[in-house]
Amino acid sequence: MLRILFLLSSIGFLSSLTVHFGLLFWPDIAATKHIRFLHIGIFITFTPFIFYLANGKSKNNFMTEFTNIIPIKYSVLCALLFFYIFVNFVIFMAKSKGGVADIWQEQYVLHNHGKLIRYITEAEYKVLQVNEIRGFSGHWLFFYFTPMVFFYFKIKSK
């Protein structure tokens, strides 16, 4: 089971990395609907990761289990990815101006929870769609990398 979870986490991480940085050079990736499965996949790998960490342990021992299995340099990488989530999120929010690009009655709009912010052009819509995927994919990196590293070293320790 650990090997399957490691494999799924690895595939998810490499796919997320490809999408996240690929959008910088090939924004048409955003139009691919299959990349949305990466959002579902984080729950398939991250949930078992949490259960493995918390298995019969108190909250105080939760992170101790992680740092006992993972070498320090990988713990630092996880922390850096966690920090990157915040940086990426700030960039995402600044570019989206707190709204979501959508199509209402055949018009491109920027809205926040159904409240119209403004009408936008098709070009703006495409840029905001890419920005939205980059916002999500930054999170995917962390939520795939952390279990991937954990499962790898958990397998290696056995």
Side-chain angles (χ1 to χ4, degrees), residues 50-69:
I50 295 298
F51 283 119
Y52 270 100
L53 277 181
N55 188 17
K57 295 166 188 70
S58 69
K59 290 181 185 176
N60 297 338
N61 294 336
F62 191 82
M63 285 310 294
T64 305
E65 175 74 9
F66 182 76
T67 55
N68 284 342
I69 293 173

Side-chain angles (χ1 to χ4, degrees), residues 5-156:
L5 291 169
F6 168 71
L7 182 64
L8 291 173
S9 299
S10 300
I11 291 168
F13 177 69
L14 292 174
S15 300
S16 300
L17 199 63
T18 302
V19 168
H20 189 71
F21 292 106
L23 284 168
L24 294 172
F25 307 104
W26 304 287
D28 293 339
I29 295 172
T32 307
K33 298 296 179 192
H34 300 303
I35 62 173
R36 305 278 177 165
F37 288 114
L38 288 168
H39 200 66
I40 297 165
I42 62 173
F43 299 103
I44 295 169
T45 60
F46 202 78
T47 304
F49 161 69
I50 295 298
F51 283 119
Y52 270 100
L53 277 181
N55 188 17
K57 295 166 188 70
S58 69
K59 290 181 185 176
N60 297 338
N61 294 336
F62 191 82
M63 285 310 294
T64 305
E65 175 74 9
F66 182 76
T67 55
N68 284 342
I69 293 173
I70 309 299
I72 189 71
K73 64 183 174 183
Y74 292 100
S75 295
V76 170
L77 278 174
C78 290
L80 288 173
L81 268 175
F82 191 74
F83 175 72
Y84 180 73
I85 286 175
F86 289 104
V87 172
N88 189 58
F89 185 73
V90 168
I91 292 168
F92 159 70
M93 289 304 290
K95 287 183 176 180
S96 68
K97 299 180 181 34
V100 176
D102 207 348
I103 301 173
W104 287 356
Q105 299 172 350
E106 299 181 15
Q107 292 185 324
Y108 297 102
V109 298
L110 186 65
H111 71 91
N112 185 352
H113 298 294
K115 183 178 178 185
L116 178 69
I117 296 174
R118 67 181 174 92
Y119 292 98
I120 57 175
T121 65
E122 182 179 0
E124 286 177 302
Y125 172 80
K126 288 180 180 180
V127 168
L128 289 167
Q129 289 292 89
V130 168
N131 182 53
E132 182 179 340
I133 301 294
R134 277 194 50 84
F136 281 118
S137 64
H139 286 70
W140 300 339
L141 293 172
F142 174 80
F143 286 107
Y144 281 116
F145 182 78
T146 306
M148 177 185 74
V149 170
F150 175 78
F151 292 131
Y152 174 78
F153 286 104
K154 188 83 170 163
I155 292 166
K156 197 173 178 182

